[in-house]
Amino acid sequence: MSVNAIGEFVGAFLILIGGIASVISVFGLIRLPDVYTRSHAATKSSTLAVLLTLSGTFAYFLFAEHFISVRVLLGIIFVFLTAPVAGHLIVRAAYRSKVKLADISTEDELYDILHSTEKKESNYDHENE
Amino acid sequence: METLITILIGVLVTVAVYLMLSKSVIRIILGSAVLSHAVHLLLMTMGGLKKGDVPLIGEGTGKFTDALPQALILTAIVISFAVTAFLLVLAYRTYKETGSDNLGALRGFKDE
Amino acid sequence: MPAQLLLNLFIAFLWMTLIDEDELKFTTFFAGYLVGIGIIFFMHRFFGTQFYLRRLFAIIKLLLIFISELTQSSIVVLKQILSPKLKIKPGIFKYETVLSSDSEVTMLSLLLTLTPGSVVMEVSPEGNVLYIHAMDVEQSKEGLISQLKNFEKAIMEVTR
Amino acid sequence: MLLSIIIFIPFLAALFIPFIHKKIPNKHIGWVVLVVPLFLFIALCKYITAIANGETFIHTIKWIDSAGINFTTYLDGLSLIFGLLITGVGTLVILYSIYYLSEREAIGRFYVYLLIFMGAMLGVVFSDNLMVLYVFWELTSISSFLLIAFWYHRKMSRYGAQKSMLITVSGGIGMLSGFIMLHSMTGSFSVREILTMIGGFTDHKLFVPAMLLVLLGAFTKSAQFPFHIWLPDAMEAPTPVSAYLHSATMVKAGIYLVARFMPIFGGEAIWFYLVSSVGIFTLFWGSFSAVRQTDLKALLAYSTISQLGLIMSLLGIGSAAYASGIQTQSILYAQATFAALFHLVNHSTFKGALFMVVGIVDHELGTRDIRRLGGLMPLMPITFTIATIGSFSMAGLPPFNGFLSKEMFFESVLHMRNLDVFSVGAMGSLFPVIAWIASVFTFVYCLIIVFRTFFGDLKLERDDRPIQEAPVGMLIAPSLLSLLVIGIFFFPNVIGQYILKPAMAAVYPSLSNSEELIPHISAWHGWDYFPLIMTVGVIVIGVVLYMYLRYWKKVYTVTPLTWNLDSLYNAILMKSEKGAATITKTYMTGQLKDYLVYIFGFFIVLIGGMLLWKGGLSINFENDAPITVNEYIIVTVMMGAGIALLFVGSRMTAIVLNGVLGYSIAILFVIFRAPDLALTQIIIETVTTALFLLCFYFLPEWSKEKSTTFSKAVKGAIAIMVGSLVTVIALSVQGNRMFDSISTYFENAYELAGGKNIVNTILGDFRAFDTMLEVVVLFIAGVGVYTLIKLKGRKEGQDVEDK
Amino acid sequence: MNNVIVLPMIIPLLTGIFLVFLRPYIKTQRLFSLLSILLTIGVSIHILNLIQSDGILRLDFGNWLPPFGILFVADSFSMLLCLTTAVITFILLIYSFFSIGKSHERMFFYPFVFFLVAGVNGSFLTGDLFNLFVCFEVMLLSSYVLITLGGRKVQLIESIKYISINVLSSWFFLVAIAYLYGTVGTLNMAHLSVRIAEVGQGPLLTVIGLIFLIVFSLKAGLLLYFWLPGSYSAPPTAVAALFGALLTKVGVYAMFRVFTLIFYHEPQITHTTIGIMAVLTMIGGSLGAIAYNDIRQIVSYNVVIAIGFILIGLSVSTESAFIGSIYYLIHDMVIKAMLFLIAGTMIYLTGKARIPEMSGLIRNYPALGWLFFVTMLSLTGIPPFSGFIGKVYIGEGAVENSSFMLLAVGFISSIFVLYSLLRIFKNCFWGETIINEDEDTPLRKGMLLPIILLGVLTFVLGVGAEVLAPYVTDAARTLMDPDIYIEAVLGGR
Amino acid sequence: MIQTMLTIALILFSITIAIAVVRIILGPSMPDRVIALDMIGVNLIAMIAVISVIMKTKAFLEVILILGILSFIGTIAFSKFIERGVIVERKRNR
Amino acid sequence: MKINDVILRTVTKIVVFIILTFGIELFLSGHNDPGGGFIGGLVLSSAFVLLYLVYDVETVSKGIPFDFKKVAAFGVLLAVMTGVGSLLFGASFLTQTAGHFNLPVFGETELSTVTLFEAGVALTVVGVVVTIILSISKDV
Ligand code: NA
Ligand code: NA
């Protein structure tokens, strides 16, 4: 087996792993009890999945076509940068829009700060607008 | 593939028509958005699907899929975007003026 | 530090002219640049500042730490998802960070969020307190905090 | 040339009046205007001898040559009679009107209308080209409309004007279609040309429709039953107008038309029956209705209707001559036409005079109501004399011209009995009977005019000034007319030879050499002359009926008679307005939903119907590309998302689902090897979603559609049918690719346009024009959004129009 | 290469763009608008005459030969309509100077008008089916903006309906194009004609043709006209007049083009359908015209009637019918503009829109009254105004083809036209005056002048119909014989 | 072998998307749906990468980055909407 | 508690530059690769959209003080003028020409009127998208 063939295989393998990771994480999306826990499954596991896939793709093109795909690299960086931000934003939005935590949750150190004082601060009272 | 996509088009059209037949402006706009999805697919399908490679010269074998429908769809997409944007803003302005997004309740021109 | 960079570029250019090829080649320039790196690393104490590529090493180190954390916690989360019965106890806890600048806080949050099992939910207006949602507070809170400390240190090496 | 000028002179004059008006005081405009018809009359008189010698004059000015519409004027005996009437009576009427109209009226406007009418009327009778004739024909309707509504602030004036316009213009439009059919058959619009060719077309399927339509025009214009209803209401016009348009000239345009077209259609049974029966019935109905009138002008209106019917029926009988070929008998029938033309002239004289008399009475007393009139003879002796002359002439008494033509009329209807064409049979005997009964009524109302107005007690007192004879100026015109009434009685053959003979030659060109065509008119035919006996009968019975009028007048209140055509007309207008409103508002709901249902419904019916009817579906899967599992999944996802879109409870979910659809389409574009599309689709979808969100902030959450199961089912059915049709046709198209696409050409994009991205070269080069316009579209939308938001309507109450 | 034929579209387009930059300078905008539209008129006349000498002109954009590139084809039919469009726009611009108001003028009113004209003229000129779609969209988008401009409640509500329906019709358009492309693989109209003639217009192609019919019917207001009265009643007068005069005509044009050039093989199906639709349209329009008391509604339904009448010509498809339709089309553009202007002016002057609320206007505004009278006659087809000649020719066409039903309904509908307008004239202009001297809103000369110009135009077009005859005949000849068009487009290949 | 692996991966990604759509339809909360949408975006990226590998074309690599950019923008927009109702603020005064 | 967007903003600062560069690249490479004026323009405008989402209208407008309506108008003008330009050279409307030039930095470069045309397209897209978003956002 040539280096190229091995490289291609590695690429495909990474992609396959990515696919599996993706399915598992979507499984979490169905299974987990509340939006916060689901966000863990989504933003991380699936980020992992896509990173694996993209790396696989990068490897594939590198070995099969001897082509360094800047776009794929850029894609990887981009996902790295933005996926956690997206997760952060959604979770924050969920919490601020008062989506309840699952009953199995044990701690909430944010509740007092945000929801109990909200009436006084009235940050984003869109009913007035 | 063509048959499958055609059936998909049929489903989308059905959905869109049903949405358009409602009283709420948003549903209507949404319906029109789905309609445009459907027709873009239709244009694509009518040119034949997967009949060759990506229409980039130098890529692949030299047998290309029909590029003309792609160009047409591009134009159509942009136009439908323009219209949707305008319609959406219109809906919003209308709501602000009238306080309703229900076309059934909004009587435009009155005679008697 | 800009002085180091300029010097490095100068060395590379010098290298290129010394090699004296028919045409200007990027590869030659790059080779010269590498030579320059070596020279400057060797001499950097004379400038009285730190070696300007030190950050590169710090970044690589951070990346490595991150990848290892990522893999570990990914496995934890995947296990939790796949386990027949959900045994997690999610919750929100707060963490006061020693980091101060926007980019540092951001970097910490990104890294923490990317590793499974934890999401930064809020940053306090002052920017020094993070509210973190964890998949399983009871079991992994300690682990998370040590992970945070780890990250903090690595980040500071990059930024300061 | 002169002829064409003659037509235009009144128009030119009308054009100048507004300018003159500023310089000349109201009072004197009439005198200026008077010059016009007088001049024209004299000019036309100069033709009399030439025409009598059998000459005709023709002159053409090119107009819409390509359509065969040219301004051809043609003067022959027939048009000359009318020309003389128009200008002659016109002169008198204007003279009369100078005294009749108050200085405070908008006299300028009045004369403008009148001159336009005069020109139009001359145009009608002098035009050889059917289209030009039609032009002037409608122009007479219009000027009549304007004149009737001269006092437009009066409700009844407006009503009358509208009625006359609607009826005559409708008839005119019918006539126009008749003319078009004639042109379609013969290829010509020239009456003379059609005349020479028509023989070959009498069996043409358009021949009879054309005839009927031309008659429709004639009947409406000449107020024949049942179209006569406009004429009484037209009496709202100032009296000079009634005298001129609504008795002497315009209403005779229909007569002219029938006479003019007799050579074309005359040989047909339908023509004969229709013209004669409609005419005779109108004669009867007009006279019968006249008796019950209490308004003198209304009475005169019905009498005009009746007299027009008389003339019409004579023309109908006269057309029999065409059926029987050139023989003595045809000459006999042709004489009915002679009678018609003669009576036409006579009627203009006595009826003109009578109208002017009524005008005088109205002018002096302020009323025309018979019930309030009486005893005017001593106060207005001259007026009385004129009235008597006119009435007795109309009643058919000697020594007035009406007697002569009435006798000829009786003679003609009596000929009907012997008619052996068109299988007339028993019908022939009916005609004299009706004619006679009608004459009795005619006699009665003539007595009413004279006796109820001028005899008996004076019922009316005027406070401001005593009732007195009209000013001399007002009496000149009617006096001249009554002189003519008597003059013609004594010298009828002058008219017969110089005026009627050439007209007869125009109506019967083939008989024009026959000497007997023109009978010698004489007042006395001996005692055994049956028409004379009829006349005596009329007088006797008429006097009796007049004396016992109050006893039998109850007849008019018998129910069927009160269901008159007028109320039918009103009801039709009312009902059609109401009905139209009901119908229109049923489907024009103002609801977008309904409109969309119509559109989809039409699509289903038209396209579905066509497919069912003609087939055209042939589905063939051979060309299908293979499908992979993940493609199935994607398509399933899309279908799922699509269907879910119908059931979601929140608009946000809907937007997310729409996003799913959009992104999935992008992946389909990837699968279909369309990178540019995938890129565009993704970005557009995102921007659209952002826009949705931007606007949603302001919009309310969407509520569940509250609709009945039935309406949901209907909507569902429509949606499914539309979807299925679109699918089925698309499948069919795939099975029926008939040609290769032209797009293989673009595969040489690199050589042709220097680009390797084929889609991009199409967009940027091959079809750059589309792209350019697409950018314009986008730009308009962008700026449009900006204006939509920036330019706001002011607060309510401004729904009418920005000021 | 005949670059000149792109000008009737490109001049308005560029004008529109430049005017965007001139936004704050209203006077400059006006001047620029006038000059540019006059230029368009001049160019259109020039092209029209060029066609008479050189035959149909075509311009291949980017020099790509048909059927591959997009091209403009200028024949007498399209140029006559371009010219009329430009003339009408010129007159309506003058009206808007005096009526539209500064706030609109600053809100890109003139640019939108010019974009509309560009779209309209582009639709007339294009020889490519998909480009026709794009030109339609240019026109429609501008109309969307114009109908909402001002943002009054009614405008907004009506425009939602208007836009939704047009979105739907554009959708059908694309569907039909897709099908057609799938079957015959080309977009150039002449090429489509050739290919369809080659394989024959089978049921499938006929079905596709009928979808086009639906599309253009929606645009033209043929049978599917229910959107029209509402939308044409909402915008300011100048805009309503622009719509009434131009918009539906583009649909009519497209219908003529497509059903004489491409789908002309099955007239017993397509043309009969058009005939039936025309009849129903005229009936519906006639009923609507007499049903309402609001003059804007009456006026709008008159638009509907005319559409039905013009399409008699297409249904009948004889040369004289075509001549008639073309004459009538031109006439209708002029007279509808005039009608809308007068109706709008009446509303402006009285602040009322319903017949019973107005009376005796002729005493205060005699000129307006007489101009309305002229409009009424012209619309009814009474000579010597412009409607007459077209009516005669259409009638002749119907007679030649023995389409008596069409003839009858067409001619009877003109009685309804007369009646509907007579009601307005009788009740609003005549009757007792209700406006006192001091309440009298002065009628600005600038508002009257355009109406007078249109009045003169309808008279001149009626009396001087012969001047147009060579062009109209040529246009009709081209419609009769698709080969002339095809030869001009594909002949030079 | 490689083709099989790739195809399986592709199918797995499709399945993920399908399941995510189910989550969108089920909700229950809006953030749930947005998370699912975000997930779909990310998986589309993966799918396109795989398809590019299968088709051996570089034509779609741009799409990857674009999808990344836009799913980011989309998520920001949605979460801002959920959080504050308004997604573009005129002026931030807080 | 006030919202602290520090994470978002910091990341956005980086991301925006990536998007802008990518957009320009897409626009320029359109003739031979996927991309072109439309897509490039859309990507560029999505960078602006991102800015407006993350910051507020006033902040962004201070940083980018263009009248985007005029940008759009200029774009349309450019697109149309490339067509009109060919009239001036006696070629058919919208005839695109290309020339090869030796430029200092870029070396042998193909400069084509198509590029101008597409630049017009891109500018329009950017102008319009931003105009729309700004119009709505400012109308509260
Ligand atoms: Na879309
Ligand atoms: Na209206």
Side-chain angles (χ1 to χ4, degrees), chain E residues 229 232-233 295-297 299-300 340:
Chain E
Y232 285 18
S233 298
I295 59 175
R296 290 170 294 188
Q297 297 280 60
V299 159
S300 302
F340 273 94

Coordinates of all heavy atoms in Angstrom, one line a residue, chain E residues 229 232-233 295-297 299-300 340, ligand 2:
Chain E
P229 N -59.2 45.8 -9.5 CA -59.9 47.0 -9.0 C -59.4 47.5 -7.7 O -59.2 48.7 -7.5 CB -61.4 46.5 -8.9 CG -61.5 45.4 -9.9 CD -60.2 44.7 -9.8
Y232 N -55.8 49.0 -8.2 CA -55.7 50.2 -9.0 C -56.4 51.4 -8.3 O -56.3 52.5 -8.7 CB -56.3 50.0 -10.4 CG -55.4 49.3 -11.3 CD1 -54.3 48.5 -10.8 CD2 -55.6 49.3 -12.7 CE1 -53.5 47.8 -11.7 CE2 -54.7 48.6 -13.6 CZ -53.7 47.9 -13.0 OH -52.9 47.2 -13.9
S233 N -57.1 51.0 -7.2 CA -57.8 52.1 -6.5 C -57.0 52.7 -5.4 O -57.3 53.8 -4.9 CB -59.1 51.6 -5.9 OG -60.0 51.1 -6.9
I295 N -66.0 56.0 -8.1 CA -65.6 56.1 -9.4 C -64.3 55.4 -9.7 O -64.0 55.0 -10.8 CB -65.4 57.6 -9.8 CG1 -64.5 58.4 -8.9 CG2 -66.8 58.3 -9.9 CD1 -64.3 59.8 -9.4
R296 N -63.5 55.2 -8.7 CA -62.2 54.5 -8.9 C -62.5 53.0 -9.3 O -61.9 52.4 -10.1 CB -61.4 54.5 -7.6 CG -60.8 55.8 -7.3 CD -60.2 55.9 -6.0 NE -61.2 55.7 -4.9 CZ -61.0 55.9 -3.6 NH1 -59.7 56.2 -3.2 NH2 -61.9 55.7 -2.7
Q297 N -63.6 52.5 -8.7 CA -63.9 51.1 -9.1 C -64.5 51.1 -10.5 O -64.1 50.2 -11.3 CB -65.1 50.6 -8.1 CG -64.6 50.5 -6.7 CD -63.8 49.2 -6.5 OE1 -62.8 49.0 -7.1 NE2 -64.3 48.3 -5.6
V299 N -63.8 53.0 -12.9 CA -62.7 53.2 -13.8 C -61.9 51.9 -13.9 O -61.5 51.5 -15.0 CB -61.9 54.3 -13.2 CG1 -60.5 54.3 -13.8 CG2 -62.5 55.7 -13.5
S300 N -61.7 51.2 -12.8 CA -60.9 50.0 -12.9 C -61.6 48.9 -13.7 O -61.0 48.2 -14.4 CB -60.6 49.5 -11.5 OG -60.0 50.4 -10.7
F340 N -58.1 57.6 -15.8 CA -57.6 57.6 -14.4 C -57.2 59.0 -13.9 O -57.4 59.3 -12.8 CB -56.4 56.6 -14.3 CG -56.7 55.2 -14.1 CD1 -56.9 54.3 -15.1 CD2 -57.0 54.7 -12.8 CE1 -57.3 53.0 -14.9 CE2 -57.3 53.4 -12.6 CZ -57.5 52.5 -13.6
Ligands
NA2 NA -59.5 52.6 -9.6

